[in-house]
Amino acid sequence: MSEPGAPDSETKPRRSARGEGQPASGYGADSIQVLEGLEAVRRRPGMYIGSTDERGLHHLVWEIVDNSIDEAMAGHATRIRIAIQPDGSILNRDDGRGVPVGKHAQTGRDALEVVHTVLHAGGKFGGGGYKVSGGLHGVGVSVVNALSTWMHVESARDGKIWAQDYERGQPKAKVYEMGPAKGRRGTTTHFLPDPTVFETVEFRFETIEQRLRESAYLNKGIRIQLVDEREEPAREKTFYFEGGLVSYVRHINRAKDTITNPISIEKVVGSTSIEVALQYDDGYNDRVLAFANNIRTVDGGTHVSGFQAGLTRTLNEWAKRQGVIKDAKDNLSGDDVREGLTAVISVKLTDPQFEGQTKAKLGNADVKGAVQNAVSEGLNQYLDENPGDGRRIIEKSLTAQRAREAARKARDLVIRKSALEGSALPGKLADCQERDPERSELYIVEGDSAGGSAKQGRDRRSQAILPMFGKMLNVEKARLDRVLSSEKIRPLIIALGTGIGDTFDISKLRYHKIILLADADVDGAHIRTLLMTFFFRNMQDLITAGHLYVAQPPLFRVSTGKVTRYARDERERDRVAKEMKVKNLTIQRFKGLGEMNAEQLWETTMNPETRTLLRVDIDDAAEAETYFSKLMGEKVEPRRDWIRAEARKVQNLDV
């Protein structure tokens, strides 16, 4: 800052006696650092595994397991065993070929050591080791090694077992021979994540279980065993599916009323293997899961485009042959034929081209035509052999077509009504002053009384309030036209600004934090579940982008008269009461948010400095799909069975 009265100083490049253009800050040639070996991985782990939280931690497991899966896809392995050891380490063993050993010509070091200590080293680049592989970037096992406190590797091949040990990516000694293999073959990798790198080193059995089940579906005939030895007795799951993708589709639809049998399509085009399984249910939502070389391509790609084009064209042509559709103007759209559809697409190819490091989208242009033709041929054959299923699919698609037109008219009505009223925002919305979405929050508050307290207690600059009263529509049981006509949901859609359905545009989102605020009881949980069902089914991109949160209001107020603390549940209430060490405590149980005054609501739930928010995330889309169908769908039996199975786990049920 300049002195008072002095003109602002002008910043100019300085010259140094050491050389022209040398900055005075000392940023010269000797400032440039070269990170040797795996040091770069330890310095910037997020660049290699995405993050250092729980998700990044489990990414280490995926990298190791994917190597074993690659052996299986190459036809050299049939069994994989993953064990979470009592000390929290991971032990992975397969019966594949084993990592090569012996002097590596290019480096002069043992091949086993090169694979585990050098980035971009492996048998997946030249095409000689693997025809099909998921781990194409070649950073997998060496990155896991770099981010582990220790790693032990064994390679059983050529009648012997070879091994090497590492500490934080560095070999402790040379590769050594352990002894004869005695019939054993394959690779064993044992590692302990480095707690100085990760925010948590606690592996979740359920997270690993979901991923391994998915891998077993995608690679039929492979047996994958997961064991958790941290428990006594050990917890164990084994996955083996002869049905492959058909079994996967049945698994996803186990809580739904299906209207067709699963349809299986398999074809090999050149070096590309195509496998598709699909089935229709009587619901209104679609679920298409796509994989390329076992990697979930969440953003789709050419294989998904080919599937959609083949499905739409084939159903329209078949409907015309049946005389159901007589004119091109009556053709079914892609949205029409995907209503109630569950499909899994898996392609395996020698040279996949993924868009971005995350491999979220497949870009191979030739795959689109190959998948489209495979789907057309396979589906045509199935429909001709099973005309009853074909007619049910067409009837459902025609109903969806009529509903889509009704939804378009309802959407247009919402837009016209907003324009006539002179404002695009609903009357109950108390908007914030901030216009930058990144600094704006929308609280969706249960009940008018709670909405009043929230409006009074909020920070008007950045916090908007939208009260919702009464039970909202369960969108799991409704098409989009009913959603748009709902007086409870329409104000929410307008307030968010993104539109809905085929007009949805996340870039128009008016608030980057959408916070669900409901009572801390069973009724509040029901309201939150209905809202989360709406977002999952109609605006899932908001969840995956990290915009949806759940507020954590307290259930109890514990006070000595001078000191007041809050607790979210009975367990925390008892702990707080014990810590306060006062006999005459006043404990108030809030029956609802409306019992809190504005100051209490701000202090406990809305103040960014003191509040607790839970971000809603989707770890496994297929599993989330199953749970929403089971808990919110029309079918009663799966919901009742789930409640019976889970009831014994409940410890504190608020009634």
Side-chain angles (χ1 to χ4, degrees):
M1 181 178 290
S2 306
E3 292 181 1
D8 290 342
S9 61
E10 183 180 357
T11 304
K12 296 182 179 179
R14 300 183 183 179
R15 296 182 183 270
S16 167
R18 289 183 294 170
E20 191 167 323
Q22 178 72 33
S25 62
Y27 179 60
D30 56 355
S31 301
I32 305 299
Q33 287 186 324
V34 178
L35 301 180
E36 299 290 345
L38 298 178
E39 188 181 348
V41 180
R42 292 187 59 81
R43 186 75 64 88
R44 296 285 185 271
M47 292 177 60
Y48 299 88
I49 59 169
S51 65
T52 55
D53 57 11
E54 187 178 277
R55 184 171 296 183
L57 175 73
H58 286 84
H59 190 88
L60 302 185
V61 183
W62 314 153
E63 292 286 1
I64 299 298
V65 171
D66 283 350
N67 285 341
S68 296
I69 293 290
D70 287 342
E71 278 290 285
M73 285 197 295
H76 301 292
T78 59
R79 292 175 177 269
I80 302 169
R81 185 180 188 273
I82 301 95
I84 310 174
Q85 302 282 279
D87 62 354
S89 61
I90 293 288
L91 179 66
N92 182 84
R93 175 172 289 173
D94 63 53
D95 61 351
R97 292 170 291 183
V99 178
V101 293
K103 186 176 181 180
H104 183 250
Q106 191 175 343
T107 63
R109 295 152 63 191
D110 194 285
L112 183 71
E113 181 178 317
V114 171
V115 166
H116 289 87
T117 60
V118 179
L119 290 175
H120 306 289
K124 303 172 185 179
F125 296 100
Y130 297 88
K131 289 183 178 179
V132 174
S133 167
L136 288 170
H137 288 160
V139 300
V141 70
S142 57
V143 166
V144 177
N145 193 8
L147 302 179
S148 298
T149 302
W150 54 259
M151 176 183 280
H152 173 77
V153 180
E154 296 176 11
S155 176
R157 57 181 286 140
D158 304 325
K160 297 179 180 180
I161 299 176
W162 306 88
Q164 190 169 34
D165 297 283
Y166 312 88
E167 283 186 358
R168 293 183 168 85
Q170 301 302 315
K172 293 179 66 178
K174 291 183 178 181
V175 175
Y176 58 94
E177 182 182 334
M178 290 181 63
K182 297 180 181 178
R184 181 179 143 193
R185 53 174 284 180
T187 304
T188 300
T189 305
H190 191 190
F191 70 93
L192 181 70
D194 190 342
T196 66
V197 172
F198 293 96
E199 298 168 22
T200 176
V201 289
E202 188 76 19
F203 288 104
R204 289 186 69 243
F205 183 92
E206 292 77 13
T207 301
I208 301 175
E209 175 190 5
Q210 289 171 3
R211 173 67 177 253
L212 297 184
R213 178 186 289 110
E214 186 177 88
S215 296
Y217 281 127
L218 292 167
N219 301 277
K220 57 185 175 183
I222 299 175
R223 189 176 302 277
I224 305 178
Q225 183 183 31
L226 172 63
V227 181
D228 189 348
E229 297 178 0
R230 296 172 299 183
E231 300 183 11
E232 186 61 45
R235 187 178 179 186
E236 184 176 325
K237 284 284 183 74
T238 299
F239 307 104
Y240 178 85
F241 304 109
E242 283 287 356
L245 298 193
V246 169
S247 299
Y248 198 0
V249 166
R250 283 200 175 106
H251 173 75
I252 295 172
N253 286 342
R254 64 191 184 277
K256 300 177 182 177
D257 286 317
T258 57
I259 63 172
T260 70
N261 291 313
I263 303 170
S264 177
I265 300 167
E266 293 186 40
K267 188 175 183 180
V268 177
V269 181
S271 60
T272 301
S273 169
I274 300 164
E275 188 177 358
V276 177
L278 60 114
Q279 186 177 32
Y280 281 86
D281 62 70
D282 62 357
Y284 311 121
N285 305 292
D286 69 285
R287 168 63 58 202
V288 177
L289 302 178
F291 301 84
N293 290 5
N294 282 347
I295 298 166
R296 171 84 70 86
T297 47
V298 292
D299 293 336
T302 51
H303 52 334
V304 176
S305 300
F307 167 77
Q308 293 175 342
L311 178 73
T312 306
R313 185 181 72 183
T314 303
L315 289 176
N316 274 307
E317 289 175 350
W318 193 81
K320 287 173 185 174
R321 291 202 303 272
Q322 299 296 313
V324 181
I325 295 178
K326 296 182 170 60
D327 199 299
K329 66 179 176 61
D330 299 323
N331 273 358
L332 299 164
S333 72
D335 288 335
D336 299 333
V337 301
R338 288 195 297 274
E339 184 180 278
L341 170 71
T342 297
V344 182
I345 308 159
S346 176
V347 295
K348 293 173 182 175
L349 57 165
T350 54
D351 186 24
Q353 298 164 17
F354 294 104
E355 296 183 14
Q357 180 75 17
T358 58
K359 307 179 186 178
K361 190 173 185 180
L362 184 68
N364 298 63
D366 58 323
V367 170
K368 179 179 179 181
V371 173
Q372 182 173 337
N373 291 334
V375 170
S376 293
E377 291 175 14
L379 187 56
N380 255 320
Q381 180 179 342
Y382 180 85
L383 295 175
D384 288 341
E385 294 174 356
N386 301 271
D389 277 2
R391 283 191 292 272
R392 282 187 286 274
I393 294 171
I394 299 302
E395 287 168 7
K396 182 170 181 57
S397 300
L398 288 169
T399 304
Q401 186 183 58
R402 292 189 290 270
R404 179 168 54 85
E405 181 60 23
R408 185 189 63 77
K409 291 178 180 178
R411 197 160 45 233
D412 291 345
L413 182 63
V414 170
I415 296 170
R416 285 199 302 273
K417 185 177 179 182
S418 298
L420 289 171
E421 290 175 352
S423 171
L425 297 177
K428 282 189 172 291
L429 174 70
D431 205 4
C432 58
Q433 297 165 355
E434 180 63 61
R435 289 296 172 261
D436 181 355
E438 289 191 10
R439 293 199 288 252
S440 302
E441 304 176 346
L442 174 65
Y443 275 85
I444 304 171
V445 185
E446 174 198 357
D448 274 348
S449 58
S453 295
K455 287 178 182 179
Q456 293 175 34
R458 67 180 173 136
D459 181 346
R460 295 171 181 270
R461 293 170 299 177
S462 60
Q463 295 177 331
I465 308 296
L466 180 64
M468 295 187 74
F469 55 92
K471 198 168 289 185
M472 65 175 282
L473 176 70
N474 179 3
V475 301
E476 187 70 20
K477 304 176 183 179
R479 282 193 174 93
L480 186 58
D481 55 326
R482 274 195 67 202
V483 173
L484 283 164
S485 61
S486 168
E487 294 296 331
K488 298 282 195 306
I489 298 178
R490 198 164 57 213
L492 174 58
I493 298 170
I494 296 171
L496 293 173
T498 58
I500 193 172
D502 54 12
T503 64
F504 178 82
D505 184 354
I506 196 171
S507 68
K508 295 181 180 178
L509 181 63
R510 301 181 67 245
Y511 314 91
H512 279 194
K513 268 196 175 73
I514 303 160
I515 303 168
L516 310 183
L517 178 55
D519 291 344
D521 58 12
V522 172
D523 288 336
H526 190 194
I527 296 294
R528 283 193 301 274
T529 303
L530 288 168
L531 280 165
M532 282 196 279
T533 305
F534 165 76
F535 282 108
F536 181 78
R537 289 303 186 196
N538 295 281
M539 297 183 177
Q540 195 174 128
D541 285 353
L542 296 186
I543 301 176
T544 55
H547 294 309
L548 186 63
Y549 294 81
V550 176
Q552 298 291 285
L555 193 60
F556 296 97
R557 177 178 179 269
V558 184
S559 177
T560 65
K562 294 182 179 180
V563 178
T564 298
R565 291 175 64 181
Y566 297 90
R568 287 196 295 273
D569 52 33
E570 287 85 352
R571 185 179 299 175
E572 189 174 356
R573 174 202 62 191
D574 295 341
R575 180 178 59 79
V576 167
K578 187 176 181 181
E579 289 175 356
M580 296 181 88
K581 298 178 181 179
V582 177
K583 290 184 179 180
N584 298 322
L585 283 176
T586 301
I587 299 177
Q588 176 189 1
R589 184 189 186 282
F590 296 113
K591 293 181 180 178
L593 294 170
E595 288 196 358
M596 290 190 200
N597 59 39
E599 184 179 346
Q600 289 174 328
L601 195 56
W602 165 257
E603 180 184 349
T604 62
T605 315
M606 300 183 71
N607 183 354
E609 300 295 326
T610 57
R611 72 187 178 188
T612 299
L613 296 179
L614 296 181
R615 191 176 75 185
V616 180
D617 204 353
I618 302 173
D619 285 333
D620 186 304
E623 200 65 16
E625 161 78 24
T626 300
Y627 273 107
F628 276 107
S629 299
K630 184 186 296 181
L631 300 180
M632 307 300 290
E634 297 277 6
K635 212 169 179 180
V636 176
E637 291 80 7
R639 182 160 53 250
R640 184 179 60 221
D641 293 343
W642 184 85
I643 291 171
R644 283 175 175 169
E646 298 296 317
R648 69 174 74 96
K649 300 178 185 177
V650 176
Q651 295 180 346
N652 296 298
L653 178 64
D654 181 54
V655 293

